[in-house]
Amino acid sequence: MGKQTNIRLDEEVKAAAEDRAKRRGLSLQGYVADLIEADVNQSRAAFMAGAASFLAAYTDVFDAEVGEDQYPGLPDAPAETAPRDAA
């Protein structure tokens, strides 16, 4: 269950939001929550795309500095996995 948040809207904005919520089959609370979630997710997606672009642009620099797949404490070769028992 989420936390409760109070907001203030002027009457015209509230009426328009209630109308849009009703057309979507949502309560005003659900409509506002969906708008906020969509905005947060859009910002998160933009950040992740930027991070991926940055990493792709500088992969050669990181590999030259650290070496590809060379991290302290990790084994040199991938561990072999034993077959799972069919239960």
Side-chain angles (χ1 to χ4, degrees):
M1 181 167 265
K3 292 269 195 175
Q4 181 174 335
T5 302
N6 296 316
I7 59 171
R8 293 184 190 275
L9 303 172
D10 67 29
E11 291 298 322
E12 290 178 18
V13 171
K14 183 181 180 209
E18 287 173 332
D19 182 55
R20 289 179 186 220
K22 184 178 180 181
R23 285 188 274 152
R24 288 174 171 81
L26 298 169
S27 66
L28 179 58
Q29 176 183 341
Y31 175 65
V32 171
D34 283 356
L35 289 175
I36 294 169
E37 185 175 341
D39 184 60
V40 168
N41 288 339
Q42 181 179 2
S43 295
R44 183 178 294 128
F47 172 81
M48 294 303 290
S53 176
F54 174 83
L55 290 173
Y58 290 95
T59 296
D60 293 340
V61 175
F62 293 133
D63 286 347
E65 182 72 23
V66 180
E68 184 178 351
D69 295 330
Q70 295 179 13
Y71 300 98
L74 291 181
D76 291 335
E80 292 186 28
T81 56
R84 293 185 182 193
D85 293 334

